[in-house]
Short mmCIF file of all heavy atoms in Angstrom, two decimals:
data_model
loop_
_atom_site.label_atom_id
_atom_site.label_comp_id
_atom_site.label_asym_id
_atom_site.label_seq_id
_atom_site.Cartn_x
_atom_site.Cartn_y
_atom_site.Cartn_z
N SER F 1 -4.62 9.32 2.20
CA SER F 1 -5.47 8.18 2.61
C SER F 1 -6.38 8.51 3.89
O SER F 1 -7.47 8.08 3.97
CB SER F 1 -4.52 7.08 2.95
OG SER F 1 -3.83 6.68 1.92
N THR F 2 -5.82 9.46 4.70
CA THR F 2 -6.69 9.90 5.80
C THR F 2 -7.98 10.62 5.41
O THR F 2 -9.02 10.33 5.98
CB THR F 2 -5.76 10.86 6.63
OG1 THR F 2 -4.67 10.26 7.19
CG2 THR F 2 -6.76 11.33 7.82
N PHE F 3 -7.88 11.40 4.41
CA PHE F 3 -8.99 12.02 3.92
C PHE F 3 -10.05 10.95 3.22
O PHE F 3 -11.08 11.19 3.19
CB PHE F 3 -8.74 13.02 2.76
CG PHE F 3 -8.26 14.42 3.47
CD1 PHE F 3 -6.94 14.87 3.29
CD2 PHE F 3 -9.15 15.03 4.27
CE1 PHE F 3 -6.52 15.91 3.94
CE2 PHE F 3 -8.73 16.25 4.83
CZ PHE F 3 -7.41 16.74 4.68
N VAL F 4 -9.42 9.93 2.45
CA VAL F 4 -10.22 8.98 1.87
C VAL F 4 -10.98 8.21 2.99
O VAL F 4 -12.11 7.71 2.78
CB VAL F 4 -9.44 7.96 1.12
CG1 VAL F 4 -10.19 6.69 0.61
CG2 VAL F 4 -8.67 8.64 0.05
N ALA F 5 -10.36 8.12 4.21
CA ALA F 5 -10.89 7.36 5.33
C ALA F 5 -11.99 8.23 6.02
O ALA F 5 -12.56 7.83 7.22
CB ALA F 5 -9.91 6.92 6.15
N LEU F 6 -12.39 9.43 5.54
CA LEU F 6 -13.20 10.40 6.32
C LEU F 6 -14.64 9.52 6.84
O LEU F 6 -15.12 9.79 7.85
CB LEU F 6 -13.62 11.49 5.39
CG LEU F 6 -14.74 12.42 5.89
CD1 LEU F 6 -14.40 13.08 7.25
CD2 LEU F 6 -14.93 13.54 4.78
N PRO F 7 -15.21 8.78 5.83
CA PRO F 7 -16.46 8.16 6.27
C PRO F 7 -16.34 7.28 7.50
O PRO F 7 -17.24 7.26 8.48
CB PRO F 7 -16.87 7.20 5.04
CG PRO F 7 -16.20 7.87 4.00
CD PRO F 7 -15.09 8.42 4.44
N PHE F 8 -15.11 6.68 7.69
CA PHE F 8 -14.90 5.81 8.93
C PHE F 8 -14.64 6.76 10.15
O PHE F 8 -15.06 6.34 11.31
CB PHE F 8 -13.65 4.95 8.62
CG PHE F 8 -13.79 3.88 7.59
CD1 PHE F 8 -13.21 4.12 6.36
CD2 PHE F 8 -14.54 2.79 7.72
CE1 PHE F 8 -13.51 3.20 5.39
CE2 PHE F 8 -14.78 1.91 6.80
CZ PHE F 8 -14.21 2.13 5.59
N ALA F 9 -14.04 7.96 9.95
CA ALA F 9 -13.88 8.85 10.97
C ALA F 9 -15.19 9.32 11.45
O ALA F 9 -15.57 9.63 12.71
CB ALA F 9 -12.98 10.09 10.55
N ILE F 10 -16.19 9.56 10.57
CA ILE F 10 -17.58 10.05 10.94
C ILE F 10 -18.28 8.89 11.81
O ILE F 10 -18.85 9.16 12.79
CB ILE F 10 -18.36 10.49 9.75
CG1 ILE F 10 -17.67 11.57 9.10
CG2 ILE F 10 -19.80 10.64 10.05
CD1 ILE F 10 -18.39 11.97 7.71
N LEU F 11 -18.07 7.70 11.29
CA LEU F 11 -18.64 6.55 12.02
C LEU F 11 -18.08 6.52 13.46
O LEU F 11 -18.74 6.15 14.44
CB LEU F 11 -18.43 5.26 11.21
CG LEU F 11 -19.27 5.06 10.13
CD1 LEU F 11 -18.71 3.83 9.45
CD2 LEU F 11 -20.73 4.92 10.38
N GLY F 12 -16.74 6.66 13.53
CA GLY F 12 -16.06 6.67 14.90
C GLY F 12 -16.56 7.75 15.67
O GLY F 12 -16.63 7.45 17.05
N ALA F 13 -16.93 8.87 15.22
CA ALA F 13 -17.41 9.89 16.12
C ALA F 13 -18.71 9.50 16.74
O ALA F 13 -19.23 10.03 17.72
CB ALA F 13 -17.68 11.25 15.27
N PHE F 14 -19.52 8.57 16.05
CA PHE F 14 -20.78 7.98 16.62
C PHE F 14 -20.52 6.69 17.48
O PHE F 14 -21.43 6.01 17.72
CB PHE F 14 -21.86 7.83 15.64
CG PHE F 14 -22.36 9.08 15.07
CD1 PHE F 14 -21.64 9.65 13.99
CD2 PHE F 14 -23.40 9.72 15.65
CE1 PHE F 14 -22.13 10.87 13.40
CE2 PHE F 14 -23.80 10.96 15.07
CZ PHE F 14 -23.29 11.48 14.00
N GLY F 15 -19.33 6.48 17.74
CA GLY F 15 -18.94 5.20 18.52
C GLY F 15 -18.90 4.00 17.82
O GLY F 15 -18.85 2.94 18.40
N VAL F 16 -18.96 3.84 16.37
CA VAL F 16 -18.70 2.80 15.55
C VAL F 16 -17.38 2.72 15.12
O VAL F 16 -16.80 3.41 14.13
CB VAL F 16 -19.67 2.94 14.24
CG1 VAL F 16 -19.55 1.55 13.56
CG2 VAL F 16 -21.25 3.18 14.82
N HIS F 17 -16.56 1.83 15.72
CA HIS F 17 -15.16 1.59 15.32
C HIS F 17 -15.05 0.34 14.60
O HIS F 17 -15.52 -0.73 15.02
CB HIS F 17 -14.38 1.71 16.68
CG HIS F 17 -14.48 2.96 17.44
ND1 HIS F 17 -13.90 4.04 16.97
CD2 HIS F 17 -15.04 3.23 18.67
CE1 HIS F 17 -14.19 5.01 17.90
NE2 HIS F 17 -14.90 4.54 18.91
N THR F 18 -14.12 0.43 13.46
CA THR F 18 -13.93 -0.80 12.68
C THR F 18 -12.58 -0.72 12.13
O THR F 18 -12.17 0.39 11.63
CB THR F 18 -15.00 -0.90 11.67
OG1 THR F 18 -14.61 -2.09 10.70
CG2 THR F 18 -15.25 0.27 10.91
N PRO F 19 -11.76 -1.80 12.10
CA PRO F 19 -10.46 -1.71 11.46
C PRO F 19 -10.58 -1.62 9.91
O PRO F 19 -9.52 -1.47 9.19
CB PRO F 19 -9.90 -2.95 11.86
CG PRO F 19 -10.94 -4.01 12.12
CD PRO F 19 -12.01 -2.99 12.68
N ALA F 20 -11.97 -1.63 9.41
CA ALA F 20 -12.00 -1.52 7.93
C ALA F 20 -11.48 -0.23 7.34
O ALA F 20 -11.17 -0.18 6.10
CB ALA F 20 -13.48 -1.79 7.52
N PHE F 21 -11.22 0.83 8.27
CA PHE F 21 -10.65 2.11 7.75
C PHE F 21 -9.36 1.86 7.11
O PHE F 21 -8.82 2.72 6.41
CB PHE F 21 -10.63 3.09 8.88
CG PHE F 21 -9.58 3.01 9.89
CD1 PHE F 21 -8.25 3.38 9.68
CD2 PHE F 21 -9.96 2.28 11.04
CE1 PHE F 21 -7.33 3.34 10.63
CE2 PHE F 21 -8.89 2.21 12.15
CZ PHE F 21 -7.65 2.66 11.94
N LEU F 22 -8.66 0.78 7.58
CA LEU F 22 -7.38 0.55 6.97
C LEU F 22 -7.39 0.26 5.44
O LEU F 22 -6.35 0.46 4.70
CB LEU F 22 -6.73 -0.70 7.61
CG LEU F 22 -6.36 -0.49 9.05
CD1 LEU F 22 -5.82 -1.67 9.73
CD2 LEU F 22 -5.43 0.66 9.28
N LEU F 23 -8.55 -0.07 4.94
CA LEU F 23 -8.71 -0.27 3.52
C LEU F 23 -8.49 1.10 2.75
O LEU F 23 -8.08 1.11 1.70
CB LEU F 23 -10.18 -0.80 3.18
CG LEU F 23 -10.47 -2.12 3.68
CD1 LEU F 23 -11.97 -2.60 3.40
CD2 LEU F 23 -9.54 -3.23 2.93
N ALA F 24 -8.74 2.21 3.37
CA ALA F 24 -8.59 3.51 2.72
C ALA F 24 -7.05 3.78 2.57
O ALA F 24 -6.62 4.28 1.62
CB ALA F 24 -9.07 4.67 3.72
N PHE F 25 -6.22 3.13 3.40
CA PHE F 25 -4.88 3.28 3.32
C PHE F 25 -4.20 2.38 2.27
O PHE F 25 -3.24 2.74 1.59
CB PHE F 25 -4.10 3.20 4.64
CG PHE F 25 -4.54 4.24 5.60
CD1 PHE F 25 -5.70 4.22 6.35
CD2 PHE F 25 -3.62 5.42 5.67
CE1 PHE F 25 -6.04 5.25 7.16
CE2 PHE F 25 -4.16 6.46 6.51
CZ PHE F 25 -5.24 6.23 7.26
N ALA F 26 -4.83 1.30 2.08
CA ALA F 26 -4.46 0.36 1.01
C ALA F 26 -4.90 0.90 -0.27
O ALA F 26 -4.16 0.98 -1.45
CB ALA F 26 -5.21 -1.04 1.10
N ALA F 27 -6.11 1.63 -0.40
CA ALA F 27 -6.47 2.31 -1.69
C ALA F 27 -5.58 3.46 -1.87
O ALA F 27 -5.15 3.67 -3.01
CB ALA F 27 -7.95 2.92 -1.53
N GLY F 28 -5.07 4.29 -0.92
CA GLY F 28 -4.07 5.23 -1.10
C GLY F 28 -2.78 4.71 -1.63
O GLY F 28 -2.18 5.33 -2.48
N ALA F 29 -2.42 3.55 -1.22
CA ALA F 29 -1.07 2.91 -1.76
C ALA F 29 -1.25 2.61 -3.15
O ALA F 29 -0.31 2.80 -3.91
CB ALA F 29 -0.75 1.64 -0.95
N PHE F 30 -2.40 2.14 -3.59
CA PHE F 30 -2.68 1.93 -5.05
C PHE F 30 -2.63 3.14 -5.82
O PHE F 30 -2.16 3.28 -6.98
CB PHE F 30 -4.03 1.12 -5.22
CG PHE F 30 -4.49 0.94 -6.59
CD1 PHE F 30 -3.65 0.03 -7.34
CD2 PHE F 30 -5.37 1.59 -7.33
CE1 PHE F 30 -4.05 -0.23 -8.70
CE2 PHE F 30 -5.74 1.30 -8.51
CZ PHE F 30 -5.08 0.44 -9.20
N GLY F 31 -3.02 4.29 -5.14
CA GLY F 31 -3.11 5.61 -5.87
C GLY F 31 -1.56 6.04 -6.01
O GLY F 31 -1.28 6.58 -6.99
N VAL F 32 -0.77 5.71 -5.10
CA VAL F 32 0.79 6.00 -5.26
C VAL F 32 1.29 5.34 -6.40
O VAL F 32 1.95 5.89 -7.21
CB VAL F 32 1.47 5.73 -3.90
CG1 VAL F 32 2.98 5.90 -4.22
CG2 VAL F 32 1.06 6.66 -2.88
N TYR F 33 0.94 3.97 -6.53
CA TYR F 33 1.38 3.17 -7.71
C TYR F 33 0.83 3.91 -8.93
O TYR F 33 1.73 3.91 -9.99
CB TYR F 33 0.81 1.81 -7.56
CG TYR F 33 0.98 0.97 -8.77
CD1 TYR F 33 2.29 0.46 -9.19
CD2 TYR F 33 -0.13 0.70 -9.64
CE1 TYR F 33 2.46 -0.33 -10.31
CE2 TYR F 33 0.03 -0.12 -10.87
CZ TYR F 33 1.32 -0.55 -11.11
OH TYR F 33 1.36 -1.19 -12.21
N GLN F 34 -0.41 4.21 -9.08
CA GLN F 34 -0.94 4.76 -10.29
C GLN F 34 -0.30 6.21 -10.56
O GLN F 34 -0.29 6.70 -11.75
CB GLN F 34 -2.47 4.83 -10.32
CG GLN F 34 -3.00 3.49 -10.30
CD GLN F 34 -4.41 3.58 -10.89
OE1 GLN F 34 -5.33 4.35 -10.21
NE2 GLN F 34 -4.77 2.73 -11.80
N SER F 35 0.18 6.83 -9.56
CA SER F 35 0.85 8.08 -9.70
C SER F 35 2.25 8.04 -10.25
O SER F 35 2.70 8.86 -10.89
CB SER F 35 0.84 8.88 -8.45
OG SER F 35 -0.50 9.12 -7.94
N LEU F 36 2.87 6.87 -9.97
CA LEU F 36 4.32 6.69 -10.33
C LEU F 36 4.56 5.67 -11.54
O LEU F 36 5.67 5.82 -12.10
CB LEU F 36 5.01 6.20 -9.11
CG LEU F 36 5.07 7.10 -7.85
CD1 LEU F 36 5.64 6.35 -6.72
CD2 LEU F 36 5.75 8.43 -8.22
N SER F 37 3.52 5.02 -11.80
CA SER F 37 3.70 4.07 -13.02
C SER F 37 3.36 4.61 -14.29
O SER F 37 2.59 5.67 -14.32
CB SER F 37 2.90 2.69 -12.76
OG SER F 37 1.58 3.13 -12.59
N HIS F 38 3.55 4.06 -15.39
CA HIS F 38 3.19 4.49 -16.62
C HIS F 38 2.93 3.29 -17.68
O HIS F 38 3.43 2.20 -17.44
CB HIS F 38 4.30 5.41 -17.36
CG HIS F 38 5.47 4.54 -17.87
ND1 HIS F 38 6.46 4.23 -16.96
CD2 HIS F 38 5.76 4.14 -19.05
CE1 HIS F 38 7.29 3.58 -17.74
NE2 HIS F 38 6.97 3.49 -19.04
N ARG F 39 1.99 3.50 -18.65
CA ARG F 39 1.64 2.61 -19.62
C ARG F 39 1.57 3.36 -21.08
O ARG F 39 0.65 4.19 -21.00
CB ARG F 39 0.32 1.84 -19.34
CG ARG F 39 -0.28 0.91 -20.31
CD ARG F 39 -1.45 0.36 -19.90
NE ARG F 39 -2.08 -0.66 -20.79
CZ ARG F 39 -2.98 -0.30 -21.62
NH1 ARG F 39 -3.51 0.90 -21.67
NH2 ARG F 39 -3.42 -1.25 -22.42
N LEU F 40 2.28 3.06 -21.99
CA LEU F 40 2.34 3.71 -23.19
C LEU F 40 1.00 3.25 -24.03
O LEU F 40 0.76 2.03 -24.10
CB LEU F 40 3.53 3.37 -24.15
CG LEU F 40 4.92 3.79 -23.36
CD1 LEU F 40 6.11 3.44 -24.36
CD2 LEU F 40 4.89 5.17 -23.02
N GLU F 41 0.42 4.29 -24.63
CA GLU F 41 -0.92 4.08 -25.28
C GLU F 41 -0.84 4.61 -26.62
O GLU F 41 -0.12 5.63 -26.84
CB GLU F 41 -2.18 4.62 -24.53
CG GLU F 41 -2.36 3.80 -23.06
CD GLU F 41 -3.49 4.41 -22.52
OE1 GLU F 41 -3.54 5.67 -22.34
OE2 GLU F 41 -4.42 3.79 -21.95
N VAL F 42 -1.68 4.18 -27.58
CA VAL F 42 -2.04 4.83 -28.94
C VAL F 42 -3.51 5.21 -28.85
O VAL F 42 -4.35 4.34 -28.52
CB VAL F 42 -1.80 3.89 -30.02
CG1 VAL F 42 -2.17 4.65 -31.31
CG2 VAL F 42 -0.31 3.46 -30.02
N VAL F 43 -3.76 6.48 -29.25
CA VAL F 43 -5.16 6.84 -29.24
C VAL F 43 -5.49 7.44 -30.61
O VAL F 43 -4.70 8.33 -31.13
CB VAL F 43 -5.37 8.06 -28.25
CG1 VAL F 43 -6.77 8.43 -28.32
CG2 VAL F 43 -4.96 7.71 -26.75
#
């Protein structure tokens, strides 16, 4: 999630701070869910 938040880190280096970077960690949590869950399909 930290790497997903890279754009916010770059903004922070220029003095633009926003709590929106926490969205990257929410996206990472969704990634964990998709990594651990399954759905049976027919192709």
Side-chain angles (χ1 to χ4, degrees):
S1 300
T2 298
F3 281 116
V4 174
L6 174 62
F8 297 102
I10 294 173
L11 288 174
F14 289 94
V16 180
H17 299 290
T18 170
F21 75 82
L22 295 175
L23 292 174
F25 293 85
F30 180 66
V32 170
Y33 167 76
Q34 291 203 306
S35 298
L36 296 175
S37 60
H38 73 275
R39 175 179 180 266
L40 301 180
E41 296 177 311
V42 175
V43 182

